[in-house]
């Protein structure tokens, strides 16, 4: 593993994940969250430090996994990797419908968002962590 490229990749993916999740959750899904407000903490009680750490941890782990199996095969490698990550995350999102009283549209939105987050992260990794 090239440590310098790993660190750069981690931070570029983190910036993408941070901005992407901000867009998805604070703008695109805001109306659904407002309609289901009884399920969520009030905004003033939300601890963004934990969200930030979660996004950083996600970025660090997937960047590390990507470097372990890196084959320098271009963007296709990033798409395949990102698809696997997105499907993994999406499969976890599907479970939330079984134990949370949320609308199916929210569950499906999370699944799609996770799939796109995985794909975007994989593509970014393939573009940044290259020889």
């Amino acid at each position: 593993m090239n440590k310098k490229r790993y660190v750069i990749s981690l931070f570029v993916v983190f910036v993408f994940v941070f901005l992407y999740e901000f867009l998805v959750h604070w703008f695109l899904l805001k109306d659904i969250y407002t309609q289901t407000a009884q399920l969520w903490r009030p905004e003033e009680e939300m601890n963004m430090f934990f969200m930030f750490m979660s996004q950083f941890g996600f970025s660090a782990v997937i960047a590390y996994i990507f470097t372990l199996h890196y084959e320098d095969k271009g963007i296709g490698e990033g798409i395949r990797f990102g698809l696997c990550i997105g499907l993994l995350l999406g499969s976890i999102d599907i479970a939330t419908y079984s134990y949370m009283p949320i609308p199916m549209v929210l569950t499906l939105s999370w699944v799609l968002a996770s799939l796109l987050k995985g794909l975007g992260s994989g593509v970014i990794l393939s573009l940044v962590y290259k020889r």
Side-chain angles (χ1 to χ4, degrees):
M1 171 178 41
N2 182 308
K3 291 179 184 178
K4 181 180 177 184
R5 286 189 309 198
Y6 166 74
V7 170
I8 292 168
S9 298
L10 181 163
F11 281 105
V12 173
V13 169
F14 172 71
V15 169
F16 164 72
V17 168
F18 179 83
L19 295 174
Y20 177 78
E21 289 197 354
F22 182 77
L23 172 71
V24 168
H25 297 291
W26 287 95
F27 291 103
L28 299 177
L29 297 178
K30 184 92 169 157
D31 289 341
I32 296 174
Y33 292 143
T34 301
Q35 294 167 12
T36 56
Q38 71 281 5
L39 299 173
W40 320 113
R41 293 180 189 275
E43 280 187 44
E44 59 275 2
E45 289 182 23
M46 291 185 186
N47 189 327
M48 290 300 125
F49 173 77
F50 291 108
M51 185 59 64
F52 178 84
M53 292 309 297
S54 170
Q55 293 167 342
F56 185 83
F58 169 80
S59 302
V61 169
I62 68 162
Y64 179 72
I65 294 169
F66 184 81
T67 65
L68 290 178
H69 303 284
Y70 181 68
E71 298 175 348
D72 198 18
K73 292 188 176 180
I75 199 166
E77 182 177 6
I79 291 171
R80 284 188 306 278
F81 177 77
L83 183 61
C84 289
I85 295 296
L87 290 171
L88 174 65
L89 295 173
S91 67
I92 296 166
D93 292 330
I94 290 171
T96 58
Y97 189 75
S98 69
Y99 56 82
M100 285 186 73
I102 58 176
M104 179 57 85
V105 68
L106 182 56
T107 300
L108 295 176
S109 297
W110 286 345
V111 169
L112 179 60
S114 290
L115 184 60
L116 294 175
K117 179 172 76 171
L119 281 169
S121 298
V123 167
I124 288 169
L125 285 166
S126 70
L127 295 173
V128 176
Y129 191 87
K130 59 183 179 181
R131 288 178 175 51

